[in-house]
Amino acid sequence: MTGQSSRLARSIAFTAMVAAAATSLATPAGAVASGGPVPEGRYRFAVQLTMTGIPKPDGTGYASACSAALVSPWWIITAGHCFHDPRRNPASGSVPYETTATVGRADLSHRTGHVAKVVSVRQAPSGDIALAKLDRPVYDVVPLRVAEKAPRTGAVLRITGWGKRAATDPAPSRQLRTGQVRVSSVAPVTVGVKGYRPALDTSACEYDSGAPYFAEPGRLPVLVSVESTGASCPHDQEETTTRVDPLHDWIRETLLT
């Protein structure tokens, strides 16, 4: 799969697993192709999203998953295409299907962190980004700061995600994984990135849609972009992510609501 079709698959897929969701989601799987596991207590702002009952035009439904990040006690940021109507148009307002957010947990078999429901969605005025509001605040996890300036080509960013280790894996991850990428291009709305560490094919995979890419200049990381689309994983090609700095004012105003 390539381009937008591959990343759309990252926010849909496992239709056949709906009937056996409990069994499938219990299967060990990786995330961030060619990445490494995140130890409990690190990158606690990382969020796993699970969706059920996503409607199709024919009236049937399916389950899916995305990745996200906490940007305030009440709000998370993810890819806009993770929330859509039956015809895949981006959806705003009340959450269009039941969505659960797990925050502050690196291993889903543990009981750390928080589990909340997503209650509303705001699509960004540009780019593949959405903010989603939780039904309860998370006060004991430090949110990601949002960048106000564009990244520079060559800058090193880190991704954390709950996707697969490879496109052939059967299910989303139960273990948060991470890797580093380099900024390969900067456009008005997007940032291109390529794998850096631990391998040149370190890359986002299915169900990593919405995963945060962040700089680590000091103790507090800074969100630079959000996973949008790319080639089938693992790959060493350019991945397309959506910049957050042009949306800084919109994000700040939305977080106050």
Side-chain angles (χ1 to χ4, degrees):
M1 292 179 292
T2 59
Q4 187 65 21
S5 61
S6 86
R7 197 54 83 249
L8 284 174
R10 292 172 199 185
S11 70
I12 53 176
F14 74 102
T15 305
M17 294 189 292
V18 176
T23 301
S24 297
L25 295 178
T27 303
V32 180
S34 300
V38 173
E40 201 66 65
R42 292 291 303 276
Y43 309 126
R44 296 186 68 229
F45 49 77
V47 178
Q48 193 229 33
L49 295 176
T50 56
M51 296 89 159
T52 57
I54 304 173
K56 291 182 176 181
D58 64 4
T60 61
Y62 61 97
S64 189
C66 279
S67 298
L70 191 75
V71 287
S72 86
W74 286 95
W75 291 89
I76 60 175
I77 194 167
T78 188
H81 72 255
C82 289
F83 296 101
H84 54 81
D85 67 16
R87 298 190 179 280
R88 303 212 152 275
N89 299 308
S92 285
S94 297
V95 63
Y97 27 78
E98 185 172 348
T99 303
T100 300
T102 302
V103 187
R105 186 181 301 176
D107 185 332
L108 295 183
S109 67
H110 295 173
R111 295 184 178 274
T112 55
H114 304 268
V115 178
K117 296 293 185 182
V118 174
V119 293
S120 64
V121 179
R122 305 280 182 86
Q123 294 285 339
S126 63
D128 184 20
I129 278 181
L131 289 171
K133 193 170 188 178
L134 305 176
D135 68 346
R136 65 195 70 179
V138 175
Y139 288 123
D140 62 348
V141 174
V142 178
L144 263 178
R145 293 185 296 161
V146 178
E148 298 184 49
K149 297 180 180 180
R152 295 182 178 180
T153 301
V156 175
L157 305 177
R158 181 175 295 278
I159 177 179
T160 55
W162 292 94
K164 298 180 179 182
R165 182 177 294 175
T168 54
D169 281 355
S173 176
R174 293 185 61 82
Q175 170 71 53
L176 182 67
R177 293 179 71 87
T178 187
Q180 290 180 306
V181 299
R182 280 191 183 275
V183 174
S184 51
S185 64
V186 179
V189 176
T190 61
V191 175
V193 298
K194 290 186 176 182
Y196 177 53
R197 288 177 180 167
L200 294 181
D201 65 352
T202 296
S203 52
C205 203
E206 293 180 28
Y207 310 116
D208 280 325
S209 283
Y213 289 85
F214 51 94
E216 299 177 282
R219 293 184 59 189
L220 296 177
V222 179
L223 178 66
V224 172
S225 62
V226 167
E227 172 60 24
S228 184
T229 190
S232 183
C233 72
H235 69 81
D236 59 3
Q237 303 170 51
E238 186 173 75
E239 192 85 8
T240 299
T241 75
T242 303
R243 288 171 54 180
V244 298
D245 59 286
L247 299 169
H248 184 272
D249 290 346
W250 171 80
I251 293 172
R252 181 179 57 188
E253 292 171 3
T254 302
L255 299 188
L256 295 175
T257 62

